Amino acid sequence: MVVLTGVRAPFELTQHAIPIKQQGIDFAMRYYSHQAGKNLSLAEARALTDAGIQIGVVWETIGAHLHSFSRAQGLADGAAAYLMAQSAITQPSGSAIYFEVDCHPTADDIAGPITRYFEGVNQAFHAARPGEPRYQIGIYGSAASCRAIVASGLASLSWLSPSGEAGAADYAGYNLRQLASGVLPVDDGKKIHVDLARSNDGLPTGLFRVL
């Protein structure tokens, strides 16, 4: 396998798919959330696929604070993300939905509300499809969060945030890694501001294409 280069964008990339592909972008990370204007649409997914860009998705709940994380919130978010993936996007079976932990939890926070949140997500996925879940569960967050949640079996993929935490460089098990922000030129002399990302050579990513 090779290392893939990607972008993370909180806005629609439909009209930018071809120019960013021409600049060496292999995948685009987009959103599922309760904010319709931020979300991946089926038309956008098809445009990215047609341009040769793989797609990844991350669920962002309202507010990236510790009080946002609980089993009940995980159940609600897991159910909403699953429904969006299956009904709105027809996301392929076996691909992933990452869930964002965009804060700086302590070890106790990870063992407490963060773990309970992912227990809720797993419960929602199993309820949506009894037996083996249709989608993999991923976590976006610090090295400590990623390491603990994957080790617990509550997520199978991890996307490492640029948290700057001590020891993050020692975490080699990430599937995706968030990099610095960047600016890409697109059509008509415009530029878009995105966050860059990379895959980890040899490890799965949960990315997908649509028909």
Side-chain angles (χ1 to χ4, degrees), residues 61 63 65-78 99 101 109 112-123:
T61 196
H65 304 287
L66 282 171
H67 62 72
S68 302
F69 296 96
S70 65
R71 181 187 290 271
Q73 190 64 54
L75 268 167
D77 289 351
F99 288 81
V101 183
D109 296 329
I114 304 300
T115 291
R116 289 193 291 272
Y117 177 83
F118 279 90
E119 289 172 347
V121 171
N122 276 265
Q123 186 176 344

Side-chain angles (χ1 to χ4, degrees), residues 131-201:
E132 184 176 349
R134 179 182 178 91
Y135 304 117
Q136 297 186 73
I137 295 172
I139 174 174
Y140 170 86
S142 66
S145 297
C146 290
R147 184 183 288 111
I149 297 302
V150 170
S152 71
L154 294 173
S156 56
L157 301 169
S158 62
W159 175 7
L160 182 61
S161 68
S163 62
E165 66 184 303
D170 297 328
Y171 178 57
Y174 64 87
N175 302 85
L176 298 174
R177 185 185 187 99
Q178 188 81 13
L179 303 175
S181 298
V183 178
L184 297 179
V186 291
D187 293 335
D188 301 323
K190 297 179 182 177
K191 296 180 180 179
I192 57 172
H193 294 261
V194 294
D195 292 322
L196 300 176
R198 288 243 173 88
S199 66
N200 196 349
D201 190 14

Side-chain angles (χ1 to χ4, degrees), residues 7-12 28-41 44 55-61 84 89 97-98 100 102 140 159 178 195:
V7 296
R8 173 182 181 171
F11 50 83
E12 185 179 349
M29 302 301 298
R30 293 286 286 111
Y31 285 86
Y32 293 158
S33 73
H34 293 302
Q35 302 175 61
K38 196 172 188 176
N39 293 342
L40 174 72
S41 68
E44 180 186 3
I55 305 160
V57 289
V58 56
W59 174 269
E60 182 184 63
T61 196
M84 193 172 296
I89 305 299
I97 303 173
Y98 288 83
E100 188 171 272
D102 197 11
Y140 170 86
W159 175 7
Q178 188 81 13
D195 292 322

Side-chain angles (χ1 to χ4, degrees), residues 13-34:
L13 291 172
T14 302
Q15 63 182 335
H16 307 312
I18 293 174
I20 65 175
K21 177 61 180 178
Q22 291 172 340
Q23 294 174 73
I25 298 302
D26 301 302
F27 67 91
M29 302 301 298
R30 293 286 286 111
Y31 285 86
Y32 293 158
S33 73
H34 293 302

